[in-house]
């Protein structure tokens, strides 16, 4: 029930990722492979979720391209292997927003998508804390406000959904308060949520361009094409009244803006924007393919990949030449 590090109770993150890792150890033994299993499975689930969401809202061809783009981006590959909460949190966040959008556009005329969004947010809260509901909720609210569809606020407020959220998310928090009292409240909510937002843990990283640099790094080798897609998407947003395009840009803006305002900055905080960025980038690439712009595709994808490989080769050569690795 209580997460521990070296035998000491640790209030940094909620329990869900610990449960997944413990289950993996129970089934497959204590090993590095078992420790990395949950992030790897959730990374696969994230790609399936991306493909499924796009074929529900746009075209199958764009769905395949988006899966390739997100699945081969640097940060996605990296976090699919690291034993941290972010990949699991990514999937639940993206699921919540995806389910909300399908419910909003009345994909099948039922409210089951909204109920699925409530459950997804609850699991996100159980994985990484209040931001699991705060940020998706903010995206949803702003989207409805900009669409001026106020009746939808009432439609999506479902007592059943609230009950599901409470049943999934709150029992562990209640149990932790029962076991540890104000120590849990002070550490989990005070130190690891409030203080991180107001006091920088790494003051040297608290610069305005931090997440711009993170974005360029995270989307490698698709960074250049992703920037082109975002610029083109902004132009399309002014000329088109596409609810999906507005929704994707709000998703990016809320996560990017929220974490840019926080005092503490981490490389993984804006990770959930890879989902909408991959969709926009895939749409841009699909248009270039349809228009048979081979030279332009090579310029925006081939050149960055070649440069990345060149940097990798130079780095590998210097590593070997420095004697850090001895061949026998």
């Amino acid at each position: 029930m209580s997460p521990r590090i070296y035998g000491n109770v640790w209030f940094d993150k909620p329990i869900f990722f610990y449960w997944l890792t413990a289950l993996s150890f129970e089934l497959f033994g204590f090993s590095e492979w078992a420790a990395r299993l949950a992030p790897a499975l959730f990374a696969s689930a994230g790609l399936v979720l991306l493909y499924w969401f796009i074929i529900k809202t746009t075209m199958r061809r764009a769905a395949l391209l988006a899966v390739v783009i997100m699945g081969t981006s640097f940060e996605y590959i990296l976090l699919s292997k690291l034993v941290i909460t972010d990949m699991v949190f990514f999937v639940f966040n993206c699921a919540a927003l995806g389910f909300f959008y399908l419910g909003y556009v009345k994909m099948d005329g039922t409210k089951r998508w909204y109920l699925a969004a409530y459950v997804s947010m609850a699991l996100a809260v159980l994985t990484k804390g209040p931001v699991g509901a705060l940020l998706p909720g903010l995206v949803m609210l702003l989207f409805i406000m900009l669409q001026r569809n106020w009746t939808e606020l009432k439609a999506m407020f479902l007592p059943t959904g609230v009950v599901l959220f409470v049943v999934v998310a709150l029992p562990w928090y209640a149990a932790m308060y029962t076991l540890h009292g104000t120590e849990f409240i002070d550490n989990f909510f005070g130190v690891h949520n409030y203080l991180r937002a107001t006091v920088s843990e790494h003051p040297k990283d608290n610069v305005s361009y931090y997440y711009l640099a993170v974005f360029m790094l995270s989307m490698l080798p698709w960074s250049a094409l992703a920037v082109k897609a975002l610029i083109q998407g902004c132009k399309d947003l002014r000329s088109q009244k596409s609810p999906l395009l507005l929704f994707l840009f709000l998703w990016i803006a809320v996560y990017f803006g929220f974490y840019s305002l926080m005092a503490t900055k981490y490389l993984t905080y804006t990770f959930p924007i890879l989902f909408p960025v991959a969709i926009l980038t895939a749409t841009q690439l699909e248009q270039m393919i349809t228009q048979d712009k081979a030279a332009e595709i090579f310029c925006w994808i081939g050149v960055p990949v070649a440069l990345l490989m060149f940097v990798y080769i130079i780095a590998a050569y210097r590593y070997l030449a420095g004697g850090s690795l001895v061949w026998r």
Side-chain angles (χ1 to χ4, degrees):
M1 184 61 69
S2 301
R4 296 175 184 272
I5 291 182
Y6 302 117
N8 299 315
V9 178
W10 187 253
F11 298 117
D12 191 359
K13 295 290 188 295
I15 195 65
F16 192 76
F17 187 80
Y18 294 89
W19 283 343
L20 291 175
T21 309
L23 178 62
S24 182
F25 287 153
E26 184 71 21
L27 294 175
F28 304 107
F30 189 77
S31 67
E32 183 175 324
W33 182 89
R36 299 182 191 276
L37 181 61
L41 290 177
F42 271 81
S44 301
L47 295 175
V48 173
L49 177 67
L50 177 66
Y51 180 85
W52 174 80
F53 178 76
I54 297 176
I55 62 173
K56 284 281 188 181
T57 54
T58 55
M59 296 178 294
R60 188 178 298 272
R61 187 176 183 179
L64 290 171
L65 291 172
V67 167
V68 171
I69 289 168
M70 190 171 79
T72 57
S73 61
F74 176 69
E75 189 173 21
Y76 203 86
I77 292 174
L78 185 64
L79 293 186
S80 69
K81 302 174 184 297
L82 296 183
V83 189
I84 55 178
T85 60
D86 292 276
M87 185 59 75
V88 177
F89 183 68
F90 171 91
V91 172
F92 291 143
N93 260 234
C94 296
L97 287 165
F99 290 143
F100 160 76
Y101 185 79
L102 293 179
Y104 180 84
V105 297
K106 304 295 188 295
M107 186 57 66
D108 59 4
T110 69
K111 295 183 178 180
R112 62 173 180 164
W113 301 119
Y114 283 155
L115 294 177
Y118 276 100
V119 174
S120 298
M121 285 191 290
L123 290 169
V125 169
L126 201 57
T127 302
K128 206 166 184 177
V131 291
L134 174 63
L135 294 184
L138 186 57
V139 175
M140 297 172 193
L141 178 62
L142 289 175
F143 178 70
I144 290 174
M145 288 174 60
L146 291 177
Q147 291 288 98
R148 298 181 180 179
N149 190 358
W150 305 109
T151 58
E152 198 63 26
L153 278 176
K154 183 178 179 180
M156 67 177 294
F157 183 76
L158 303 173
T160 306
V162 174
V163 170
L164 285 172
F165 182 91
V166 169
V167 167
V168 173
L170 294 191
W172 177 78
Y173 287 90
M176 288 295 285
Y177 179 72
T178 301
L179 290 170
H180 304 286
T182 56
E183 183 185 4
F184 170 68
I185 301 297
D186 293 342
N187 278 274
F188 181 81
F189 292 102
V191 175
H192 296 294
N193 285 271
Y194 176 74
L195 284 183
R196 282 191 180 182
T198 57
V199 179
S200 178
E201 289 187 8
H202 314 105
K204 64 182 178 62
D205 295 335
N206 196 15
V207 292
S208 59
Y209 56 84
Y210 181 85
Y211 286 118
L212 290 174
V214 169
F215 172 76
M216 297 302 293
L217 180 65
S218 67
M219 284 301 297
L220 287 173
W222 307 96
S223 307
L225 185 62
V227 171
K228 176 179 173 59
L230 288 171
I231 293 172
Q232 183 60 50
C234 287
K235 295 177 181 177
D236 294 340
L237 194 60
R238 288 196 292 266
S239 60
Q240 302 176 15
K241 292 185 178 180
S242 167
L244 179 59
L245 193 58
L246 174 63
F247 180 69
L248 295 177
F249 268 96
L250 279 175
W251 184 337
I252 296 168
V254 166
Y255 280 76
F256 197 91
F258 178 84
Y259 286 117
S260 293
L261 293 174
M262 284 186 62
T264 298
K265 292 177 170 57
Y266 277 109
L267 292 170
T268 58
Y269 277 174
T270 55
F271 180 50
I273 72 171
L274 262 66
F275 194 98
V277 169
I279 297 175
L280 294 169
T281 307
T283 303
Q284 178 69 41
L285 181 56
E286 195 275 334
Q287 291 175 356
M288 294 164 68
I289 294 172
T290 301
Q291 296 168 7
D292 196 23
K293 295 182 177 180
E296 191 173 345
I297 292 172
F298 176 77
C299 178
W300 288 97
I301 300 175
V303 172
V305 169
L307 289 173
L308 187 63
M309 291 302 297
F310 178 75
V311 171
Y312 172 77
I313 291 169
I314 295 298
Y317 174 78
R318 294 186 64 180
Y319 177 76
L320 295 174
S324 299
L325 181 63
V326 178
W327 297 93
R328 298 185 186 276

